[in-house]
Each structure stands twice: as structure tokens, then as C-alpha cells.
Amino acid sequence: MRTQVVIIGAGPAGLLLGQLLHKHSIANVILERQTADHVLGRVRAGVIEQVTMNLLDEAGVGARMHADGLVHEGVQICVDGTRHRLSFKELTGKTVMVYGQTEITKDLMDGRAAVGAPSVYSAQDVSAHDISGDKPRVSYQVEGNTHEISCDFVAGCDGFHGISRKSIPESAIDTYERVYPLGWLGVLSDTPPVSEELIYVRHPRGFALCSMRTPTRSRYYIQCSLAEDIESWPDERFWQELKPRLDEEARERLVTGPSIEKSIAPLRSFVAEPMRFGRLFLAGDAAHIVPPTGAKGLNLAASDVRYLARALVEHYQERSDAGLDHYSERALARVWKAERFSWWMTTTLHKISDNPFDYRLQLAELDYLFRSKAAATAFAENYVGLPY
Ligand SMILES: Cc1cc2nc3c(=O)[nH]c(=O)nc-3n(C[C@H](O)[C@H](O)[C@H](O)COP(=O)(O)OP(=O)(O)OC[C@H]3O[C@@H](n4cnc5c(N)ncnc54)[C@H](O)[C@@H]3O)c2cc1C
């Protein structure tokens, strides 16, 4: 079998890349280790930048997002019981969209099915071969039978634990990492959100986030220790721990109910560079991870894909490799700024140590953010997404 681009991974990065390439008549095959249902069942991101919305429109899959997504013009930050609002709209003229990653994945999968582009789910032992030469190949197994696809390029969109990054010789890649000693315990529930806007909470008991997916479905997170066992968090205990972290109005408005999903996510910052080795290009979580506090992971995956799709179109339609040669550098310039912002939000809003000095610094940062228009504008510019 032969194609132009083999895409490893059917997360947002792989599916979006496949859709954009298809629009430009570039043949591609997606290889995904899990079943489609498993991929659709992963509850993750929910806040979409304007530039990501534009890209989903460009890929032809934005209709449902515009119909069902919630446009947010601002965000609220609660510090030790007092809430403050920052208006993106007033500070930058831009907004963000609340629309779940599962919905985006579904729209992209439906879009791919509608155009009949090939995807192989439950592909086991996916391995990339000869990526440093001109004729790379990707092999995989389905139901015990080995298959091989020869191609021009391999797009490694297989997330942090995928095989793409690991296919690059260690001497050809540098990695930068910070692991935070804390996690997010998240609950999804069919209850009305406590507020129309997201509330980020800085509290002596630890961080919390009141988020939502729809007007009737809420997503809440509380900071927890990485040693926590999800089994020891029945719903009642979760709500009891969330409540005291909120301000009085939010506490009164909070509607609790049974969880429909509950999970613990570790917080990590990670960058691998360069994002290219020979004919293998990394995109999304395969190349970098941000802690979810800044809501940047999916958005960064989309911006990598935008650079990569344009570079591949340039290669095939204009016979120019300039875009491919500059892909890593361009993508990383945006990645590192999102790494900085996500690190800043994480270290400013979480209980990061028992040292009161850290706590006083956080209060000073936040006080400056609420009082200075320049600081608020810088925050808003980063939150809605920096320009490409
Ligand atoms: C709790 C939480 C909240 C978040 N909130 C936000 C948010 O609000 N906004 C935001 O922008 N981001 C958020 N993120 C981050 C976001 O979910 C990720 O950055 C995003 O999923 C990255 O997409 P991706 O396609 O690069 O990788 P993934 O979504 O990880 O997809 C990779 C795919 O590759 C597949 N794969 C892995 N290994 C192989 C293999 N060997 N062979 C074949 N396939 C393979 C996987 O099964 C998967 O389907 C959040 C993440 C978490 C955990």
C-alpha cells in the first residue's frame, strides 16, 4: 500500500491534519492504536481559541461547534473567596469558545467518514521505518496480520506516550521537562454550571476550576496529590472538598449530582525539539505537553497542524520545501510562549508549596493582574491565543 502522508494517531492533531490535507487532495492514512469509541470517550479539553475555531472552519467541520459551543467573553478568578473578572472582549476584542474535545473529535471523525478518507483503528505495533531517508514506511498489525504503507512523510500525532517521538535517535532530539508534584481530580456531571464563565480558584486548600461543556453539563477540577487513588474519591467527598474552595455565591449556586466521569490527570510541562527528524514530523502532545491550567494543549496541537498542513501543501503544490524546513522553528516559537503561560497560570494559582513566601508572591502577581490594565491585557492576549 502507498500514500503520501501516514498520520500516526487519531486524536485532534491527527484527525485535523488528515482533514486539511484531504481538502488539498493530499492522500493520507490515519493509523490509531485504540478503537474509535475509545478515542471518543476521552474527556479532556474544553476551551477553544479563536484561531483553532478558524482552523476547524477551514477543515469544514465547524458547523456544530458554532451551533452548540458557548462563546465566552471573559473569565473569572477567585482568590481566597473574592472573585475578579477579566474581560477578553474588552481587553483584546477576542473571545474563546467552550466546546468539548469529544465533540471536536466526533466532528472530525464524521468529516473524515463523509469524504471516505482511510483510517485504521485498533492498529497494533505501529512502527516507522527509514524516516531519515527519502522512502519512509510505516508498519502495523491488525488482528495478527502485518501491513506496511510506504509514503513520502510520516506525521507523528500520537500523543505523549506514542511511538513517533521514540523513533527519533536520542542524539537527534533534546527534551525539556518540568513535572509538578500535583494533579487535577476532575468530575463531569449533568448539573447546570455554577457560573456562565469559567472560575479559576486560588485557595489555601488548593486550586479548583469550575468549568462546563454545555448549559446542563459541568466540569469541575480540584488540585490533588499525585498519590491520590480515584477509588477513594466517592462523589460526595469530591463535592465536599470543592465547596470550601469557592466563594460564597458560587457555594450557594453549586448544584451537585452523580459524576458521569471522574479521573486524575498529572500536571507536566514538556517540550521535545526539534519537532522534525528526516521525514518524520511531530505535532501536538507527541512533541509537547502543557499543564491544563492555561487550556492550551489542544490549541497548540491545532496550531502545529496548521503549520504542518501548509508546509505539506507547499511541498506538493508549489514544489517548495521552505515550509517543511521551517516547520519546527515556527511551531516551537508558539509552543514555548504557551509553555510559559501555562507554567505561569499553574504556579500562580495552585498551592505549590507550604512556604508562605510562595503564597505571598502569588498574591502579589494576582493583585497586579487585577489592578494593571497592561498585566490584564497580557493575560487576555495569551488566554485567547497568540497570533500565528
Ligand atoms: C484534564 C485535561 C484537561 C485539558 N483541558 C484542555 C483545554 O481546556 N484546552 C486545551 O487546548 N487542551 C486541554 N487539554 C490537553 C488536550 O487534551 C491535549 O493537548 C490534546 O488531546 C492533544 O491532542 P493530540 O492529538 O496531540 O494528542 P492525543 O489527544 O493524545 O491523541 C493521540 C492519539 O494517538 C494515539 N496513539 C498513541 N500511541 C499510538 C501508537 N503507538 N500507535 C497509534 N496510535 C497511537 C492515541 O490513542 C490517541 O488517540 C487537557 C488535557 C487534560 C488531560
Side-chain angles (χ1 to χ4, degrees), residues 60-76:
V61 297
R64 214 164 59 94
M65 170 186 72
H66 289 294
D68 296 350
L70 308 171
V71 175
H72 280 208
E73 295 188 354
V75 74
Q76 307 190 16

Side-chain angles (χ1 to χ4, degrees), residues 127-361:
S127 340
H129 311 277
D130 299 336
I131 46 176
S132 56
D134 286 348
K135 294 189 176 71
R137 294 169 294 120
V138 181
S139 63
Y140 62 98
Q141 291 199 1
V142 174
E143 292 174 354
N145 298 317
T146 303
H147 304 262
E148 192 174 276
I149 311 179
S150 55
C151 56
D152 301 329
F153 299 102
V154 180
C157 302
D158 49 352
F160 183 68
H161 299 287
I163 54 97
S164 298
R165 194 180 64 253
K166 292 172 193 147
S167 312
I168 301 175
E170 270 181 35
S171 59
I173 197 162
D174 290 321
T175 57
Y176 304 86
E177 185 168 32
R178 168 156 303 175
V179 179
Y180 304 85
L182 46 98
W184 276 17
L185 171 57
V187 156
L188 188 70
S189 66
D190 276 331
T191 52
V194 73
S195 150
E196 284 182 0
E197 294 181 334
L198 269 72
I199 310 176
Y200 285 88
V201 181
R202 197 275 167 236
H203 191 273
R205 291 179 77 92
F207 170 84
L209 173 61
C210 305
S211 182
M212 72 290 289
R213 292 292 177 268
T214 69
T216 54
R217 180 166 286 186
S218 300
R219 182 71 164 155
Y220 294 102
Y221 297 100
I222 53 171
Q223 173 181 345
C224 67
S225 140
L226 280 177
E228 289 297 344
D229 174 7
I230 195 83
E231 298 301 325
S232 59
W233 281 90
D235 293 349
E236 199 46 42
R237 183 175 172 208
F238 178 87
W239 300 119
Q240 272 171 16
E241 185 51 52
L242 174 67
K243 269 185 197 164
R245 300 186 191 196
L246 306 180
D247 58 277
E248 205 178 320
E249 185 192 341
R251 254 197 313 273
E252 274 168 20
R253 288 192 59 175
L254 180 71
V255 181
T256 61
S259 63
I260 50 176
E261 194 268 355
K262 201 187 295 164
S263 52
I264 294 179
L267 268 55
R268 181 195 300 268
S269 300
F270 174 88
V271 182
E273 57 177 71
M275 288 167 61
R276 172 191 189 172
F277 179 73
R279 293 207 160 216
L280 169 68
F281 292 82
L282 302 177
D285 280 14
H288 41 75
I289 295 282
V290 284
T293 328
K296 289 285 165 246
L298 186 147
N299 291 299
L300 273 187
S303 71
D304 290 352
V305 162
R306 181 182 177 275
Y307 292 122
L308 185 54
R310 276 163 173 64
L312 288 165
V313 171
E314 235 175 83
H315 170 86
Y316 285 110
Q317 292 180 357
E318 296 165 29
R319 306 260 158 237
S320 162
D321 280 349
L324 290 174
D325 291 342
H326 289 107
Y327 165 70
S328 177
E329 189 191 325
R330 280 184 187 148
L332 284 166
R334 201 163 188 275
V335 165
W336 274 110
K337 291 187 193 85
E339 290 283 349
R340 185 207 67 81
F341 181 65
S342 304
W343 161 84
W344 179 85
M345 286 219 29
T346 303
T347 51
T348 304
L349 292 169
H350 289 73
K351 185 175 181 188
I352 46 167
S353 77
D354 289 324
N355 185 343
F357 183 83
D358 293 334
Y359 174 57
R360 303 299 291 196
L361 278 187

